[in-house]
Amino acid sequence: MSMTKKEQKLIIIDGNAIIHRSFHALPPTMTTKTGQVVNAVYGFTLFLIKAISDIKPDYIALTLDKKGATFRHLEYKEYKAGRVKAPDELYEQIPLVKEIAKAFDIPIYDLSGFEADDLIGTISHQVNSGIKKIIMTGDMDTLQLIDENTQVYTMSRGITDSVLYGSQEVESRYGGLKPSQMIDYKALRGDPSDNIPGVKGIGEKTASDLLNTFKNLDQVYKAVDQNDNRIKPRILELLKEHKKEAYLSQKLATIDINAPIKFDLEKSRCQKLNKTKITALFSDLEFKSLITRLTNLDNYLGTSSEAPNLFTSLDKFARNTKEFKYQLIDSDSDFKSFLTLLSKQTVFTIDTETDSLDPLNSNLLGISFSFREGEAYYLNTKENNKWLKELAPILEDQKIKKCGHNIKFDLRVLNNQGLNIKGIWFDTMIASYLLNPENRQHNLDAITFSEFGFEKINHRDLIGEKFTAADFAQVPLQKMAIYSCEDADFTNRLVTVSEKKLKAAKLSKLFEEIEVPLIPVLAQMENTGILLDKDILSKMSKELRREIVELEKNIYKLAGEKFNIKSTKQLKEILYEKLEIATKGIKKTKTGLSTAAEQLEKLKEAHPIIPLLQNYRELTKLLSTYIEALPELVDPKTKRLHTSFNQTITATGRLSSTEPNLQNIPTKTALGKKIRTAFKSEPGYILASLDYSQIELRLVAHLSSDKRMLEAFSQNEDIHVITAAAINEVDLNEVTPKMRSEAKAVNFGVIYGQGPHGLSQGTGISYQKAQEFITKYFVTYSGIKKYIATNLEFAKKHGYVETILGRRRNLPEINSTIIMIQKSAERMAINMPFQGTAADMIKLAMIKISELIDSQDDIRMILQVHDELIFEIKDSLVEKYIPQIKTIMENIIKLKIPIVVDVKYGYSWGEMEKNLKK
């Protein structure tokens, strides 16, 4: 059914259906800082925004169920009786959904004794046929209301996928049935979700066949009375036996279109959005990721009825020129005046614009500066590159404080222009991360929206929906100036706000002494990169491809046919249908039995095809992710590989590595080690690896003050052997390699909050044995048991845990009544203090080491991988630098036991030894 722009459209929202669907579709770990679960509210809001964008309505109304019995319960006391009561976390979100509706000025309809479906039917019935009605829902109950003026807009998978149902779509899905037949369809087959009985023994296909033949329930029973031979004998008997239930089900399934409400169409009209109300509510709910979806929403509202617009991207540039003092610097005289002004500043914010996201190869288009609220300057350096030399003394002055948002990028871009920026003082992206480490939304648009309720100019406003960084070079100069000035201005405003928040949260010291000083260190490492031997990987690629082909042949032979091994659908058919591999304990997904890695691991002894499939997956993943991908990422100018180190990703404070991710190359497999052999030192240099030995266990010993563990580390004993002897009740000299391996799993499993089930799965030992090991572990290390209990108690009382150096992780969900959420938070509470402290330690060490080597060309810090630092050092200077670096790392903080750093050397990362060969 086509919809022209002239058609008036009304969206009628089935609130409860969408709330329930969202709650179960989105992770319950979506919480605010206060611990309020908001997954259902988020899903509702996301679907509302999508529906508005897709449908462009003139009117919107929300319907909700009212607590208590309905007329259907009076008719049939078992109605919905089998339905499990949803968790309190779902019902607690309904008032928040109402707040969303109010913020969007959407009227709410609910009525005791009636369900939302009845109100939808009544509203649809009361609205005249000149208006298209679209029912926005999460289930199929309202399909019966579809006619030439009514459609149903429903979720198909998850939240963001949706289907618009008209008569044709209903017929296509339900075997030719029309919307008007959906009531009788449910009367025959029943509805388990609502406990509508239907005719016992009749399923979907039989119900469809009967209605396609006899049109409606009355005609079906007329045929039954006549013993019509078109009805199979067994079905005939079922229909006769359950006639009463069939007509009861028909009554229960019928939506009441005459509920006692009066719908006011005009009150549902889509008016100008109340930006203040919406942004304040979104800020409270921490829906930062919805900012871009909200941006152009007013453009979609009431497009057929001339509804006024507020969020109009075309107006943003005019808005900024009127409200803010943003100046384009495009002449030598203007630059001279600006330079005089800038030279008087002791602190300012900077933002660069480039035609690429790669700092090493991007062209600088311009730089914006801001040092007063509402005021900023954009320098057109693309046409005036000579200005950079005059800016250099200010930018390179350590005493003048520089601020930015992800200032590492600006640092690297300007470094590529020959400028060595010094005096980095504040980064608002890192400040946002420290204040909200669980959040992934630390981009400038999101934080500006959250803090000020201000919607910035975004990329789409500049260059449309489909864009690349290269398109920035084509943006008109005036627009680019406003865009960049706005970035600098609001970053500058955020500095003031963020500084106060960091002090209030007692995070200033961590920010000032670790995170900010680390920025230039990481920038230098990223610029330096590491040498990659493409020939090694090319040879590996050829060998691996031959091995994969051979694997495919063997897999096909065992399967008895060729199939697409990467297709989960085809793989399921081969494993569970053709080969009939036992499926006990295998998880089911929406599409059937799972073939995920952890499920195949359960089946590795069930059939010889399973190990081949596991090997195939590992080889193809390594081939595509590293062996063939890495050579493509080598920089053509430097001939080296340059990864990016991210400070704002992991909640524990650990650095992550992207483009490429060098932290995830397997360390224990032969193939992983072989890939690492392609990472080499330059001629005349050697690679040195300095790795904290068992740092997390040492930190556990320190934090827990467990006597036995402290004693073991103080005497340099093998902690895994000691644990193995204790849990197996044997002498130290009787510990086997297998026992030690299991004990190692217990040592790390316990400190990561792992229970007997997880330990059993991870080690392959029985559940009973895992439980026994954990019990004995806590007898041996009673101090750790006490530490875990104390830490959990603290987390539940205060809603956060912290590291030795004060890094926090907020865990409001630790008091959730949903066990899965609570247990997840408890695991985080147990491991965060030592995992986060380990992250803080290596960051501090990197800063101190950077001061030692001070950009010397004879030594370069090139990689950080978890607890390991890798250096490229001139052969002749290894003995000069390594002892000093080792001393720094081992004394970066003081613990109750020694910190040990293991050192290895080699001309490739994959072939390193403890002894330096001369």
Side-chain angles (χ1 to χ4, degrees):
M1 190 185 297
S2 63
M3 291 186 177
T4 65
K5 288 185 178 179
K6 293 181 181 179
E7 291 173 335
Q8 297 273 299
K9 287 161 281 184
L10 162 67
I11 288 180
I12 311 170
I13 305 171
D14 183 352
N16 287 78
I18 293 170
I19 290 167
H20 277 79
R21 184 72 176 267
S22 300
F23 183 80
H24 294 293
L26 296 172
T29 49
M30 293 181 69
T31 60
T32 64
K33 296 172 195 171
T34 61
Q36 168 71 55
V37 179
V38 290
N39 59 342
V41 194
Y42 181 88
F44 174 89
T45 308
L46 183 62
F47 196 49
L48 172 64
I49 291 171
K50 186 178 188 302
I52 291 171
S53 302
D54 289 350
I55 296 167
K56 304 174 180 60
D58 300 276
Y59 309 91
I60 307 178
L62 171 64
T63 65
L64 289 167
D65 291 340
K66 196 104 171 178
K67 190 175 180 181
T70 68
F71 68 88
R72 292 181 181 85
H73 293 92
L74 298 177
E75 188 74 36
Y76 180 53
K77 65 178 182 179
E78 299 301 319
Y79 180 65
K80 292 190 177 181
R83 188 173 286 188
V84 178
K85 184 181 180 293
D88 291 341
E89 279 83 355
L90 184 150
Y91 295 108
E92 287 168 2
Q93 295 183 66
I94 292 176
L96 296 176
V97 169
K98 289 182 177 180
E99 290 301 313
I100 292 289
K102 288 174 184 175
F104 278 80
D105 290 321
I106 298 171
I108 301 168
Y109 292 85
D110 56 11
L111 184 65
S112 294
F114 293 85
E115 295 181 53
D117 286 351
D118 301 311
L119 306 186
I120 292 169
T122 301
I123 291 169
S124 184
H125 183 63
Q126 288 183 10
V127 173
N128 68 64
S129 60
I131 293 177
K132 296 292 180 186
K133 292 152 285 186
I134 300 97
I135 299 164
M136 179 176 145
T137 183
D139 59 39
M140 301 295 175
D141 292 343
T142 53
L143 294 183
Q144 62 183 271
L145 298 173
I146 290 174
D147 58 29
E148 62 179 4
N149 293 304
T150 309
Q151 294 173 302
V152 170
Y153 182 87
T154 185
M155 303 171 185
S156 62
R157 296 190 306 274
I159 298 298
T160 54
D161 291 335
S162 55
V163 175
L164 188 62
Y165 280 92
S167 295
Q168 288 183 355
E169 288 76 17
V170 172
E171 289 181 34
S172 175
R173 174 162 181 169
Y174 292 95
L177 296 185
K178 298 181 185 304
S180 59
Q181 293 175 292
M182 297 311 296
I183 298 171
D184 290 346
Y185 172 73
K186 191 176 281 193
L188 289 167
R189 69 171 287 269
D191 185 350
S193 66
D194 288 340
N195 203 33
I196 294 175
V199 176
K200 189 176 180 180
I202 289 183
E204 295 179 6
K205 188 177 186 307
T206 303
S208 295
D209 291 344
L210 286 169
L211 292 173
N212 275 318
T213 303
F214 301 107
K215 306 307 177 188
N216 58 50
L217 190 64
D218 287 340
Q219 292 298 321
V220 168
Y221 272 99
K222 186 176 179 181
V224 169
D225 292 340
Q226 295 170 356
N227 292 313
D228 196 309
N229 60 14
R230 287 175 291 177
I231 305 176
K232 293 177 182 178
R234 189 183 74 86
I235 301 302
L236 193 68
E237 290 305 313
L238 290 173
L239 288 165
K240 286 179 180 179
E241 184 181 350
H242 298 287
K243 181 176 181 179
K244 182 180 176 182
E245 289 90 338
Y247 277 98
L248 171 64
S249 299
Q250 184 190 52
K251 194 169 185 180
L252 295 173
T254 302
I255 291 174
D256 190 337
I257 60 171
N258 292 299
I261 60 165
K262 180 64 178 173
F263 178 66
D264 189 328
L265 181 65
E266 196 53 38
K267 284 185 179 178
S268 299
R269 182 180 288 280
C270 299
Q271 300 291 342
K272 178 180 178 180
L273 292 177
N274 187 326
K275 185 177 181 182
T276 303
K277 192 188 294 185
I278 294 173
T279 53
L281 181 57
F282 274 29
S283 181
D284 288 344
L285 294 172
E286 299 168 38
F287 287 172
K288 297 175 184 178
S289 62
L290 296 183
I291 295 169
T292 54
R293 293 179 182 271
L294 188 64
T295 302
N296 296 314
L297 198 58
D298 239 350
N299 291 339
Y300 299 122
L301 284 168
T303 52
S304 60
S305 57
E306 300 181 0
N309 289 336
L310 176 66
F311 295 121
T312 309
S313 56
L314 294 175
D315 293 337
K316 288 182 182 177
F317 297 98
R319 172 195 74 190
N320 277 281
T321 53
K322 290 176 183 176
E323 296 179 18
F324 306 111
K325 296 177 182 177
Y326 293 165
Q327 187 176 341
L328 168 64
I329 306 298
D330 199 27
S331 68
D332 287 338
S333 59
D334 284 346
F335 174 72
K336 188 176 181 181
S337 300
F338 166 74
L339 194 63
T340 301
L341 186 61
L342 184 68
S343 64
K344 296 176 183 177
Q345 308 306 317
T346 57
V347 56
F348 58 77
T349 296
I350 189 169
D351 181 69
T352 59
E353 301 300 337
T354 64
D355 63 356
S356 169
L357 297 177
D358 175 8
L360 283 176
N361 295 291
S362 61
N363 293 305
L364 181 65
L365 303 177
I367 314 173
S368 54
F369 295 84
S370 180
F371 31 82
R372 281 192 284 268
E373 185 176 315
E375 187 175 314
Y377 304 83
Y378 179 73
L379 278 59
N380 179 19
T381 57
K382 180 184 177 183
E383 307 297 336
N384 303 280
N385 191 261
K386 60 185 179 181
W387 293 347
L388 296 177
K389 286 185 180 179
E390 296 182 65
L391 285 169
I394 297 172
L395 295 175
E396 295 178 355
D397 189 336
Q398 182 76 40
K399 295 178 183 177
I400 300 174
K401 298 174 180 177
K402 286 86 179 176
C403 311
H405 189 87
N406 188 20
I407 201 169
K408 175 158 66 78
F409 180 84
D410 307 301
L411 192 67
R412 293 187 64 196
V413 166
L414 293 171
N415 186 259
N416 201 33
Q417 299 292 321
L419 295 169
N420 186 17
I421 312 303
K422 293 183 179 177
I424 301 298
W425 180 66
F426 210 98
D427 190 312
T428 51
M429 182 175 78
I430 294 174
S432 171
Y433 160 73
L434 280 184
L435 291 163
N436 304 286
E438 307 80 26
N439 199 326
R440 289 293 185 94
Q441 291 292 330
H442 302 296
N443 63 76
L444 185 57
D445 287 5
I447 304 171
T448 300
F449 184 85
S450 176
E451 292 294 342
F452 308 117
F454 184 86
E455 183 190 307
K456 288 179 65 276
I457 299 166
N458 57 48
H459 292 168
R460 288 196 307 278
D461 299 321
L462 282 176
I463 44 189
E465 290 289 340
K466 296 180 180 178
F467 62 87
T468 64
D471 294 325
F472 265 60
Q474 310 305 319
V475 174
L477 187 57
Q478 288 289 342
K479 281 192 173 185
M480 178 61 85
I482 294 170
Y483 168 79
S484 188
C485 282
E486 192 179 73
D487 278 359
D489 175 21
F490 277 92
T491 300
N492 193 52
R493 297 180 196 216
L494 282 168
V495 169
T496 306
V497 173
S498 303
E499 192 177 10
K500 289 178 182 177
K501 287 189 172 185
L502 288 170
K503 284 180 181 176
K506 298 180 181 179
L507 290 167
S508 296
K509 188 176 181 181
L510 185 73
F511 180 75
E512 293 166 6
E513 295 183 8
I514 297 181
E515 296 297 348
V516 172
L518 189 65
I519 295 170
V521 177
L522 296 179
Q524 183 63 49
M525 290 170 67
E526 291 174 3
N527 283 343
T528 302
I530 186 169
L531 195 66
L532 186 77
D533 190 328
K534 292 184 180 182
D535 291 338
I536 289 177
L537 294 180
S538 177
K539 187 180 177 183
M540 282 183 70
S541 176
K542 291 173 184 174
E543 291 172 355
L544 218 58
R545 286 202 169 276
R546 284 195 294 268
E547 195 173 339
I548 289 169
V549 168
E550 196 60 33
L551 265 175
E552 286 174 343
K553 289 178 183 176
N554 291 329
I555 289 170
Y556 296 151
K557 186 177 179 181
L558 288 169
E561 64 177 89
K562 281 190 175 184
F563 67 101
N564 183 355
I565 302 171
K566 293 179 180 178
S567 165
T568 54
K569 182 177 181 294
Q570 292 184 37
L571 185 57
K572 273 187 283 192
E573 289 171 357
I574 293 293
L575 298 182
Y576 304 131
E577 294 176 25
K578 184 170 182 180
L579 298 179
E580 297 180 338
I581 295 175
T583 59
K584 186 179 179 181
I586 300 300
K587 286 185 179 179
K588 285 186 177 180
T589 67
K590 291 179 180 178
T591 57
L593 290 160
S594 173
T595 59
E598 63 272 17
Q599 303 308 311
L600 289 190
E601 182 65 21
K602 296 175 186 176
L603 300 172
K604 61 183 177 182
E605 305 295 334
H607 196 283
I609 199 173
I610 302 297
L612 298 185
L613 289 169
Q614 290 176 308
N615 196 16
Y616 175 87
R617 284 182 172 180
E618 183 192 5
L619 297 188
T620 52
K621 182 180 179 181
L622 289 175
L623 183 70
S624 61
T625 308
Y626 297 110
I627 297 168
E628 292 186 340
L630 291 177
E632 298 298 318
L633 296 172
V634 171
D635 187 270
K637 288 193 301 186
T638 66
K639 309 298 181 187
R640 293 166 77 95
L641 197 64
H642 301 267
T643 188
S644 295
F645 294 102
N646 308 306
Q647 286 175 267
T648 60
I649 301 295
T650 69
T652 59
R654 283 189 178 273
L655 293 173
S656 68
S657 162
T658 53
E659 297 178 330
N661 181 352
L662 299 182
Q663 295 185 338
N664 278 6
I665 300 175
T667 56
K668 296 178 181 178
T669 66
L671 199 54
K673 289 177 183 176
K674 199 170 181 181
I675 292 171
R676 289 175 179 233
T677 62
F679 293 84
K680 294 194 167 184
S681 58
E682 282 191 2
Y685 286 75
I686 194 169
L687 297 181
S689 161
L690 286 90
D691 190 358
Y692 278 115
S693 173
Q694 298 177 331
I695 190 60
E696 291 182 356
L697 287 174
R698 291 175 191 272
L699 286 168
V700 169
H702 171 83
L703 289 165
S704 68
S705 296
D706 182 86
K707 291 181 181 179
R708 186 68 190 92
M709 195 169 266
L710 287 173
E711 181 185 330
F713 281 121
S714 296
Q715 296 178 8
N716 199 28
E717 295 175 318
D718 187 328
I719 192 67
H720 301 316
V721 169
I722 289 172
T723 301
I727 63 178
N728 287 284
E729 297 179 352
V730 298
D731 292 335
L732 293 176
N733 57 9
E734 294 179 291
V735 172
T736 65
K738 184 175 184 294
M739 287 179 182
R740 185 185 184 278
S741 177
E742 290 172 351
K744 184 177 181 180
V746 176
N747 273 328
F748 286 106
V750 168
I751 65 173
Y752 278 93
Q754 201 172 51
H757 179 71
L759 184 60
S760 172
Q761 283 196 320
T763 59
I765 62 178
S766 69
Y767 178 89
Q768 185 179 358
K769 192 174 182 181
Q771 198 167 34
E772 184 184 327
F773 277 177
I774 291 173
T775 301
K776 289 179 179 177
Y777 182 92
F778 283 131
V779 170
T780 306
Y781 304 116
S782 57
I784 295 177
K785 185 177 183 180
K786 185 179 177 182
Y787 163 72
I788 289 173
T790 303
N791 212 37
L792 289 177
E793 185 181 346
F794 179 91
K796 287 177 180 179
K797 183 178 179 181
H798 297 92
Y800 69 88
V801 288
E802 59 186 2
T803 66
I804 293 173
L805 298 175
R807 183 183 301 277
R808 284 189 182 183
R809 180 164 191 177
N810 299 314
L811 295 167
E813 64 271 27
I814 200 163
N815 293 310
S816 171
T817 58
I818 299 177
I819 296 300
M820 182 181 72
I821 298 176
Q822 183 190 104
K823 292 298 180 185
S824 174
E826 287 179 358
R827 287 191 293 273
M828 294 172 196
I830 292 168
N831 67 54
M832 165 59 189
F834 57 82
Q835 197 177 42
T837 299
D840 294 339
M841 285 175 60
I842 201 159
K843 285 179 176 180
L844 267 178
M846 291 167 74
I847 295 164
K848 293 289 184 184
I849 293 164
S850 181
E851 292 169 2
L852 169 71
I853 61 181
D854 193 26
S855 302
Q856 296 295 319
D857 192 51
D858 52 17
I859 178 170
R860 309 153 186 157
M861 184 159 47
I862 56 174
L863 283 181
Q864 187 271 347
V865 181
H866 305 308
D867 302 320
E868 176 187 20
L869 290 176
I870 297 173
F871 299 85
E872 190 174 30
I873 314 172
K874 271 193 175 177
D875 287 348
S876 58
L877 296 172
V878 170
E879 291 177 348
K880 171 189 173 183
Y881 283 115
I882 293 304
Q884 296 179 69
I885 293 171
K886 191 173 188 291
T887 299
I888 288 172
M889 291 178 71
E890 290 181 340
N891 293 278
I892 202 66
I893 64 171
K894 292 296 179 186
L895 301 181
K896 296 169 186 173
I897 49 173
I899 297 171
V900 176
V901 170
D902 294 328
V903 184
K904 289 183 180 180
Y905 308 92
Y907 291 99
S908 80
W909 188 16
E911 297 172 324
M912 304 190 96
E913 298 178 4
K914 289 186 178 181
N915 297 316
L916 177 64
K917 293 181 180 178
K918 295 184 180 180

